[in-house]
């Protein structure tokens, strides 16, 4: 490129030489335009750069000759290249001529072929039309065949399937239920056919399906009856086929109920035989089971005998319910749906408002199954009640029966036959208990002559309280609700306790005080001790406490009177009782007979003799009271009241002496000669403080 650095100047000179032939003005304008064009040209343009690059590739030397021939050389090269292009296009034109010839030949061939095809089409047109008609008929026949095959497959039951559905020799398995389900679906789908113009086909298929369904359900009904005869409910793995059969048969409520009736009768017979086997220890083949002892082996122990029978009944009922729950309740929704569908087939079988309840049906079925056991149980327990007259035993049996009544209520509901049997047995036991208690009360009447010499609780009351303690413990362990325990046990209190306490009260009326109070207090204390630990008899305990308070008050009065009379204080208290606190009353005290010097001295001496052993003598009065603490409390209360009485007398004597001293002072001031009286306190010197110390 260095050789071409002077190219613009040389190029300008060349242009100047060419312009020299023109006129001066034209040459001047052209030159000016050329200069302007050259000077305004941008050599950074890509075309200029490409031109310079091509020029550089030619390796042309930058000489004046080269610069003058540059345009000619360029034109020559362009002409040569154009010639090459013309030759190449000549070859292309020659090839295009050959192609045109070929195309003309092909067009001629195509035209010939078109004429042949047209002629062939005209000759084959009737055949093609006939073939098209045949193909259309074939398509229509194939469609009809497909419809017929689909119809037969959906609506027609094969002979083999009908044999499975109806023949008793064929087993009931999954294939049977699949066929039965298909027949039911066919019966439902026939309703669609009834909506077509030709209803005959739908009616015939529906009639045939109905007959097939009836045959299938009859076979299922007979099969379930056969299975129920050999069904072992003790086996936890009950066949799923039986459960499915029951769900399917539920769509025929009449057959389903007949199956339940048959099953209930069979299970009642089986459970009754099992109960007698448990009682005797022998099976239906009169074979003894050496591994278990029969329930009647413990017949000598009535409570255990009854308890074992009830426990066996409860165990059998629970097992029966659990086994049947697997059959009915676990599939309750499906059986209920089956009943709903069955009403459409048997609208006469149930009320429209009736809804199948699996739980209620289960309870009713179990109740029917154990009905035979309930009858046998009632007979045996009534024999026990008739042969025993121990009231405690009778009440324990009643409470035991009540316990199982509560248990069976949760298990079978409140309307079961077994619960009615237990309620009747409980009432019979309580009735026998009341009769026995009444006989016991009548039998103690000859003993109501006099209480024991030591005033202890009489033997009949002691026995009654021992029995009553057992009754309390028995009732306390029962399942009676806490809210009703007080009311429920009240009749027992009236029958087993109150008559004996009333007998003790009648005995107490025949003896003198305070012996009668001590005797009655001992009886009440014994009864209270028996009842106090049980909350459901607290009302009766409160009544006993009120009676005891009255007796304590009576004994306190007696002890108080003992203190007053034995100490010699009673005459003084009696003399002072009518007086008030006025001065006139005080002045009259010395004139009273008990307050004369000799009488007051004797009273003081009596008091001194009484005080050393006063407390022991008073306690000795209540030594037969069963509660030493209560005797001490009564004596302490009486001693306190005695001290208050002594303070009253002491105050009156002190008041008399004070009045006398005041009178003497007044007379001394008036210089009157008086005889000085003896102070009453000197004749009766004991103080209330000394009394309290000696009686504490």
């Amino acid at each position: 490129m260095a050789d071409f650095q002077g190219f613009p100047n040389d190029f300008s000179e060349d242009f100047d030489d060419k312009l020299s032939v023109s006129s001066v003005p034209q040459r001047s304008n052209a030159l000016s335009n050329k200069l302007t064009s050259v000077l305004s040209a941008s050599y950074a343009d890509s075309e200029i750069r490409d031109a310079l690059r091509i020029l550089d590739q030619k390796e042309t030397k930058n000489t004046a000759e080269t610069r003058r021939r540059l345009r000619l050389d360029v034109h020559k090269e362009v002409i040569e290249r154009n010639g090459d292009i013309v030759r190449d296009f000549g070859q292309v034109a020659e090839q295009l001529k050959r192609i045109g010839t070929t195309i003309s030949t092909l067009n001629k061939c195509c035209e010939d072929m078109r004429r042949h095809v047209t002629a062939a089409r005209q000759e084959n047109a009737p055949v093609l039309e006939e073939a098209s008609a045949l193909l259309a008929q074939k398509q229509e026949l194939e469609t009809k065949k497909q419809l017929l095959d689909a119809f037969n497959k959906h609506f027609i039951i094969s002979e083999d399937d009908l044999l499975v559905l109806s023949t008793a020799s064929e087993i009931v398995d999954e294939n049977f239920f699949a066929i039965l389900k298909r027949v039911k679906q066919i019966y439902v789908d026939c309703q669609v056919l009834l909506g077509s113009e030709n209803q005959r086909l739908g009616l015939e298929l529906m009639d045939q399906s109905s007959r097939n369904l009836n045959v299938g359900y009859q076979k299922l009904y007979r099969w379930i009856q056969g299975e129920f005869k050999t069904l072992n409910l003790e086996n936890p793995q009950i066949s799923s086929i039986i459960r499915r059969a029951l769900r399917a048969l539920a769509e025929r409520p009449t057959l389903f109920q007949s199956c339940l009736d048959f099953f209930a009768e069979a299970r009642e017979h089986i459970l009754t035989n099992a109960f007698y086997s448990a009682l005797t220890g022998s099976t239906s083949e009169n074979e003894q089971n050496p591994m278990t002892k029969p329930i009647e082996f413990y017949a000598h122990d009535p409570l255990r005998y009854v308890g074992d029978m009830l426990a066996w009944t409860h165990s059998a009922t629970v097992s029966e319910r659990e086994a049947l729950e697997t059959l009915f309740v676990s599939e309750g929704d499906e059986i209920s749906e089956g009943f709903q569908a069955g009403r459409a087939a048997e609208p006469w079988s149930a009320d429209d408002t009736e809804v199948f309840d699996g739980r209620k049906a289960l309870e009713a079925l179990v109740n029917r199954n154990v009905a035979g056991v309930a009858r046998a149980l009632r007979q045996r327990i009534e024999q026990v009640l008739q042969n025993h007259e121990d009231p405690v035993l009778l009440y324990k049996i009643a409470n035991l029966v009540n316990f199982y009544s509560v248990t069976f209520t949760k298990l079978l509901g409140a309307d079961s036959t077994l619960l009615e049997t237990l309620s009747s047995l409980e009432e019979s036991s309580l009735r026998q208990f009341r009769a026995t208690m009444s006989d016991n009360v009548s039998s103690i009447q000859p003993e109501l002559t006099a209480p024991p010499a030591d005033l202890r609780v009489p033997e009949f009351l002691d026995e009654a309280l021992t029995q009553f303690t057992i009754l309390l413990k028995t009732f306390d362990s029962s399942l009676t609700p806490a809210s009703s325990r007080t009311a429920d046990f009240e009749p027992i209190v009236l029958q087993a306790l109150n008559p004996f306490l009333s007998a003790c009260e009648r005995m107490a009326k025949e003896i003198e005080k305070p012996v009668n109070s001590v005797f009655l207090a001992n009886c009440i204390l014994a009864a209270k001790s028996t009842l106090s630990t049980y909350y459901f008899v607290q009302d009766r305990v409160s009544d006993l406490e009120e009676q005891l308070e009255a007796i304590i008050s009576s004994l306190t009065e007696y002890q108080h009177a003992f203190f007053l009379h034995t100490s010699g204080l009673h005459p003084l208290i009696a003399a002072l009782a009518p007086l008030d606190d006025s001065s006139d009353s005080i002045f009259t005290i010395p004139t009273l007979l008990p307050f004369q010097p000799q009488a007051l001295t004797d009273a003081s001496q009596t008091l001194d003799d009484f005080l050393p052993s006063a407390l022991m003598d008073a306690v000795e009065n209540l030594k037969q009271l069963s509660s030493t603490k209560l005797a001490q409390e009564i004596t302490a209360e009486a001693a306190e009241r005695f001290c208050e009485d002594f303070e009253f007398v002491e105050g009156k004597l002190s008041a008399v002496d004070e009045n006398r001293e005041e009178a003497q002072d007044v007379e001394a001031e008036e210089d009157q000669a008086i005889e000085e009286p003896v102070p009453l306190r000197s004749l009766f010197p004991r103080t209330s403080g000394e009394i309290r110390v000696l009686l504490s």
Side-chain angles (χ1 to χ4, degrees), residues 276-478:
Y276 281 114
S277 297
L279 287 175
T280 60
S282 61
T283 62
S284 57
E285 291 79 12
N286 294 324
E287 297 178 358
Q288 295 291 332
N289 186 359
M291 301 301 295
T292 59
K293 290 184 179 180
I295 295 176
E296 289 185 344
F297 183 80
Y298 302 101
H300 63 280
D301 184 354
L303 189 61
R304 179 170 181 178
Y305 179 54
V306 173
D308 287 351
M309 288 191 293
L310 290 172
W312 187 96
T313 304
H314 177 261
S315 176
T317 305
V318 171
S319 300
E320 192 80 3
R321 180 184 176 90
E322 289 177 351
L324 296 182
E325 193 170 18
T326 305
L327 286 175
F328 296 100
V329 176
S330 61
E331 311 293 345
D333 292 341
E334 295 187 14
I335 292 179
S336 178
E337 292 173 0
F339 264 89
Q340 289 294 115
R343 290 199 184 99
E346 298 180 0
W348 63 87
S349 61
D351 185 16
D352 291 340
T353 61
E354 182 181 352
V355 177
F356 179 80
D357 189 335
R359 291 287 177 183
K360 290 183 178 179
L362 173 65
E363 292 174 357
L365 185 58
V366 176
N367 179 45
R368 293 174 61 184
N369 293 353
V370 299
V373 176
R375 291 191 296 270
L377 182 68
R378 179 171 188 165
Q379 179 183 5
R380 295 302 177 109
I381 295 180
E382 284 180 347
Q383 289 177 355
V384 173
L385 296 178
Q386 293 171 2
N387 295 333
H388 294 83
E389 295 182 354
D390 181 6
V392 173
L393 175 62
L394 293 172
Y395 184 74
K396 284 185 175 181
I397 291 176
N399 196 64
L400 181 63
V401 173
N402 176 265
F403 170 81
Y404 277 99
S405 295
V406 175
T407 304
F408 279 113
T409 300
K410 299 176 182 178
L411 193 62
L412 300 179
D415 300 329
S416 66
T417 303
L418 183 58
L419 189 62
E420 293 177 0
T421 299
L422 294 180
S423 299
S424 176
L425 289 173
E426 181 184 2
E427 181 59 32
S428 298
S429 181
L430 291 176
R431 185 169 55 251
Q432 187 75 6
F433 166 77
R434 289 190 292 268
T436 305
M437 291 304 304
S438 178
D439 293 342
N440 289 350
V441 173
S442 300
S443 65
I444 66 171
Q445 296 303 320
E447 302 178 18
L448 304 181
T449 54
D454 56 358
L455 301 182
R456 60 181 174 81
V457 175
E459 185 176 353
F460 70 84
L461 180 60
D462 190 45
E463 293 177 356
L465 291 177
T466 301
Q467 290 182 350
F468 198 71
T469 301
I470 299 175
L471 298 181
L472 287 168
K473 292 179 179 178
T474 302
F475 184 78
D476 189 44
S477 63
S478 68

Side-chain angles (χ1 to χ4, degrees), residues 503-523:
C504 293
E505 292 176 0
R506 292 196 297 272
M507 292 175 65
K509 292 179 181 179
E510 303 298 328
I511 55 179
E512 298 179 352
K513 294 182 179 182
V515 180
N516 62 345
S517 297
V518 173
F519 171 70
L520 195 56
N522 288 338
C523 296

Side-chain angles (χ1 to χ4, degrees), residues 21 29 62 97 144 167 169 246 271 348 460 538 653 675:
V21 295
N29 291 334
N62 188 11
K97 289 180 181 179
K144 290 182 179 181
T167 306
S169 59
L246 288 173
L271 289 177
W348 63 87
F460 70 84
Q538 290 306 305
L653 295 178
E675 181 180 356

Side-chain angles (χ1 to χ4, degrees), residues 27-57:
R27 181 171 46 194
S28 177
N29 291 334
L31 179 61
S32 176
N33 292 335
K34 186 64 177 180
L35 288 175
T36 301
S37 174
V38 171
L39 292 176
S40 63
S42 174
Y43 299 102
D45 185 54
S46 59
E47 293 181 357
I48 297 298
R49 288 199 303 271
D50 291 341
L52 293 176
R53 187 180 300 110
I54 293 172
L55 185 62
D56 183 61
Q57 290 176 356

